Amino acid sequence: MTTPALADEWGVKQLDLDAYLKRVGRPDLSRARPCGRTLRLLHRAHVETIPFENIDIVLGCEVSTSVADIQHKLVASGRGGYCHEHGLLFGAVLDRLGYRVERLLARPRERPGRPWPRTHLTLHVHGSDGEWLADVGFGSGLLEPLPFADGAWCAQGEWSFRLAPHDEGWQLLERAGALENPMYAFSGHGQRAADVDAAHYYTSTHPDSPFTGQLVVMQRLGGELRRLLNREFSRVRSDGTCEKKSHLDDGDLAKVLTDEFGLTLNAPDMRDLLARVADVRSSLAPRTG
């Protein structure tokens, strides 16, 4: 039995569902059945509307995990966010629509010498007609939810994904062209809000985090992955080809944020961001949120 203290552990009551659905262009889904079709429509709408970005972390601002604060930023203010913001918002939306949602912490792709901690937030979603892995906050990840089972490759636009058994439980794999890329591994055990807060604190503040030392903005849209790493903007296609623009000056960087990702900052924040973003590409450039 859920205790009163944990009745709204994930802040679901703070959500303005109608405002969220309007933001992602799907107000028609407010009374939809909590099934696979509804989840697919919502998932793709979210990914193609709200980009991954870590601007507040670069600016040294505290990033809140309160659903009310996340909603103000990602919904009312037209900004994007990073994995914890996306996952907590989307999880609350699914809870309100009648799905059962487990929040999971995943370990991003391996790095030489020392594995990353389990810091990426993803979702195990139970609906009326199945179970899925849903992840709107990876940046370069799923366009649509994936059946939560060991299965064949599932095509999503120009990319393919699958879940496979792993030493930690499960691993999400991506196939682009002839390459198969591990994205992250996870145990499948649901987490508490305090666990997610701890992972969020590391990811948003620790000097070893790949998000505290560089600007990262990403979005899958129109059959390509759009990616901004500091002052380099690229369009990555499913066949592995990549079109890059490097050494963006202040005007071009601001234009990419606005025109490619739909992000509008106030003048002081834009000046501060441009001053902080160096013309370098970090060796820790992430694939995950």
Side-chain angles (χ1 to χ4, degrees):
M1 178 181 296
T2 302
T3 63
L6 297 177
D8 194 28
E9 181 179 9
W10 299 102
V12 177
K13 294 179 181 178
Q14 302 171 21
L15 178 73
D16 183 339
L17 180 61
D18 290 339
Y20 169 84
L21 293 174
K22 183 178 179 180
R23 165 80 161 110
V24 301
R26 298 305 314 226
D28 56 311
L29 297 179
S30 62
R31 298 181 182 275
R33 189 166 67 96
C35 62
R37 177 182 179 275
T38 302
L39 179 59
R40 286 191 297 275
L41 292 173
L42 269 180
H43 197 289
R44 183 178 280 269
H46 185 117
V47 169
E48 294 185 342
T49 303
I50 308 178
F52 176 101
E53 51 106 328
N54 71 331
I55 292 172
D56 284 351
I57 296 175
V58 175
L59 292 176
C61 301
E62 181 180 355
V63 179
S64 174
T65 58
S66 158
V67 167
D69 291 341
I70 295 170
Q71 180 172 264
H72 177 74
K73 178 181 174 183
L74 275 65
V75 176
S77 301
R79 286 278 305 280
Y82 89 128
C83 74
H84 294 87
E85 296 169 285
H86 282 277
L88 290 169
L89 177 64
F90 197 63
V93 169
L94 298 181
D95 276 328
R96 283 285 299 277
L97 289 174
Y99 296 89
R100 182 166 67 86
V101 184
E102 294 177 273
R103 282 75 170 173
L104 309 178
L105 288 175
R107 191 186 310 282
R109 63 179 176 83
E110 296 180 1
R111 62 173 172 176
R114 188 181 185 190
W116 295 105
R118 292 191 186 98
T119 53
H120 176 64
L121 178 61
T122 189
L123 306 175
H124 183 182
V125 180
H126 305 254
S128 62
D129 56 353
E131 300 178 27
W132 301 270
L133 180 74
D135 192 344
V136 296
F138 194 78
S140 60
L142 299 173
L143 280 164
E144 298 180 355
L146 199 63
F148 204 100
D150 180 14
W153 290 99
C154 294
Q156 297 187 4
E158 304 299 322
W159 286 267
S160 295
F161 303 90
R162 69 177 291 248
L163 277 177
H166 186 268
D167 290 346
E168 295 199 43
W170 295 95
Q171 184 176 45
L172 177 63
L173 301 168
E174 172 200 39
R175 185 168 65 191
L179 297 177
E180 295 183 8
N181 303 312
M183 303 180 80
Y184 54 74
F186 57 96
S187 70
H189 297 301
Q191 305 294 308
R192 306 309 296 258
D195 302 320
V196 173
D197 282 347
H200 157 73
Y201 183 76
Y202 173 93
T203 309
S204 62
T205 65
H206 198 282
D208 284 348
S209 168
F211 300 110
T212 55
Q214 63 180 350
L215 175 64
V216 184
V217 188
M218 293 187 285
Q219 190 171 28
R220 286 201 193 276
L221 187 64
E224 63 186 15
L225 170 64
R226 301 177 186 181
R227 181 171 62 199
L228 177 66
L229 297 177
N230 291 318
R231 291 179 180 267
E232 179 180 275
F233 175 66
S234 58
R235 300 177 184 272
V236 184
R237 302 177 183 87
S238 62
D239 61 3
T241 59
C242 182
E243 174 188 327
K244 294 182 180 180
K245 295 181 180 179
S246 301
H247 312 295
L248 299 175
D249 62 22
D250 285 357
D252 287 337
L253 178 55
K255 186 175 177 62
V256 164
L257 289 171
T258 302
D259 294 354
E260 298 292 346
F261 297 104
L263 298 172
T264 302
L265 303 180
N266 61 44
D269 283 348
M270 180 65 79
R271 286 196 299 269
D272 193 5
L273 182 66
L274 295 174
R276 289 170 182 255
V277 178
D279 190 10
V280 296
R281 184 171 178 180
S282 170
S283 61
L284 294 179
R287 288 177 49 81
T288 178

